[in-house]
Amino acid sequence: MTRYVLHRLIASIPVIFLVTLIAFSIMQLVPGDPAAVIAGSNATQEEVELVRQQLGLNEPFLVRLMHWYGSLLQGDLGQSILLQRSVTSAIIERIPVTVSLTLYAMALTVTFGVTAGVIAAVYRGSWVDQACMASALLGVSLPNFWLALILIFAFAVGLGWFPTGGYVPFSEDPAGWLRALTLPAFTLGFLQMGLLARITRSSMLEVLNQDYVRTARAKGLPSWQIINRHALRNVVVPVVTVIGIITSHMVSGSVVIETVFSLPGIGRLVIQGILRRDYPVIQGGLLVTAVAFVLINLIVDVLYSRLDPRIRLAARA
């Protein structure tokens, strides 16, 4: 297993390199001059040119790229142009917010999505099945930013149960942390709940029609025991596949959610970097996102091999 994990980590290096190269190249091609933004609207051409020289923006593309990769190998993502601080420290400071939001949203997604999918499959064709699938379709159809605004209006402004935005660290106030992240996590996970519920239902129906399930029923085993001992175990592998994809989507979707709910996470930092032409922040944010994708896929692959011995044997071969 250790050999397999190391092989996957080494194989992911070219992917991360390609992502960083594309991100760096795009940042150099997009219109706009960060030196002009920093110098201000009233700055003269000479002042703008001075800022460009200080930032090294007049250097050739390859020179800047090599400088960036050289710093990257030393763990330095550069200096933020407008924050006037290290991009590495700015991202590290925001990682707990994004990770908390993603994990909370994933917990809600798995809990409600899998439960709805199993219930819909068990009560196939009934009003319960139709209600679960209608809710799943609603979740897949709604834009998350629109849902976020509706939830803020109803539960934050109207009922006052949750704050409209902001973040409270878990170490300072666990209850405040939970209240601050509930609406963003539900918004981020609602779309994925619908997707997971539909796939869980489909997988569950396939398993429930297998011969060994019919045999278990013929033996007189209770339905809950058949589902827990025989069906769910075989539904886990395809569901884990989808959970890996869902988690990757949540990492990218947190950009919008963090902005709407004013959460100081990596997604909001990247948005602020884009608006201010802060290239080092954008490149650092994209690099962290790419690494997160690679790690999530690696974790999913390891879970595969643990859940299904056939996959473990194939990996060894």
Side-chain angles (χ1 to χ4, degrees):
M1 180 55 68
T2 304
R3 185 178 177 184
Y4 173 70
V5 172
L6 287 175
H7 174 74
R8 288 296 311 273
L9 285 174
I10 293 173
S12 64
I13 292 176
V15 177
I16 295 175
F17 172 78
L18 187 61
V19 170
T20 55
L21 178 61
I22 293 174
F24 188 89
S25 302
I26 291 176
M27 289 302 101
Q28 310 308 313
L29 295 175
V30 294
D33 187 354
V37 176
I38 295 173
S41 57
N42 297 324
T44 63
Q45 188 60 38
E46 289 75 15
E47 290 172 334
V48 173
E49 185 60 29
L50 180 61
V51 174
R52 288 183 62 81
Q53 291 179 2
Q54 291 173 346
L55 297 176
L57 297 176
N58 289 327
E59 298 286 344
F61 172 80
L62 287 178
V63 173
R64 281 181 283 155
L65 179 63
M66 290 300 105
H67 284 165
W68 191 67
Y69 275 128
S71 300
L72 191 61
L73 291 175
Q74 301 173 21
D76 181 10
L77 295 175
Q79 287 290 118
S80 170
I81 295 174
L82 290 172
L83 294 178
Q84 293 296 310
R85 58 178 297 197
S86 165
V87 174
T88 306
S89 63
I91 288 178
I92 291 175
E93 192 177 87
R94 288 162 172 78
I95 283 178
V97 181
T98 302
V99 172
S100 298
L101 173 63
T102 306
L103 291 180
Y104 191 5
M106 180 51 63
L108 293 176
T109 301
V110 173
T111 301
F112 290 104
V114 172
T115 303
V118 171
I119 291 175
V122 172
Y123 296 98
R124 181 184 184 184
S126 68
W127 67 269
V128 176
D129 180 17
Q130 294 176 0
C132 289
M133 289 303 98
S135 301
L137 182 61
L138 185 67
V140 174
S141 307
L142 286 179
N144 53 10
F145 67 89
W146 185 84
L147 177 63
L149 296 177
I150 294 297
L151 292 179
I152 290 174
F153 179 76
F155 295 101
V157 178
L159 297 174
W161 292 352
F162 303 99
T164 56
Y167 177 73
V168 178
F170 182 84
S171 56
E172 294 181 5
D173 182 6
W177 174 86
L178 192 65
R179 290 183 70 240
L181 287 182
T182 295
L183 289 185
F186 185 82
T187 307
L188 185 60
F190 191 62
L191 183 150
Q192 314 301 340
M193 286 178 206
L195 179 64
L196 188 60
R198 294 177 72 86
I199 292 176
T200 302
R201 178 183 181 273
S202 175
S203 300
M204 195 72 181
L205 286 175
E206 186 177 343
V207 171
L208 290 177
N209 289 324
Q210 296 295 318
D211 291 339
Y212 63 88
V213 174
R214 294 196 190 97
T215 303
R217 284 177 177 155
K219 289 180 178 178
L221 290 177
S223 297
W224 65 268
Q225 200 168 4
I226 295 173
I227 293 170
N228 288 334
R229 289 189 178 180
H230 300 284
L232 277 179
R233 186 174 298 176
N234 293 290
V235 170
V236 167
V237 173
V239 168
V240 167
T241 309
V242 179
I243 289 176
I245 299 171
I246 284 174
T247 308
S248 300
H249 288 175
M250 281 186 176
V251 172
S252 56
S254 64
V255 172
V256 176
I257 301 303
E258 288 177 4
T259 303
V260 174
F261 287 95
S262 300
L263 294 174
I266 296 175
R268 190 179 177 206
L269 179 67
V270 171
I271 290 293
Q272 291 173 339
I274 292 172
L275 295 176
R276 299 175 181 178
R277 303 287 192 274
D278 198 341
Y279 296 162
V281 166
I282 301 171
Q283 292 158 5
L286 290 175
L287 174 63
V288 171
T289 304
V291 172
F293 282 164
V294 169
L295 291 179
I296 290 168
N297 282 291
L298 178 62
I299 292 171
V300 170
D301 288 345
V302 172
L303 284 177
Y304 285 164
S305 62
R306 290 294 180 187
L307 294 171
D308 192 339
R310 294 170 298 179
I311 298 174
R312 187 160 60 245
L313 290 173
R316 287 176 181 173

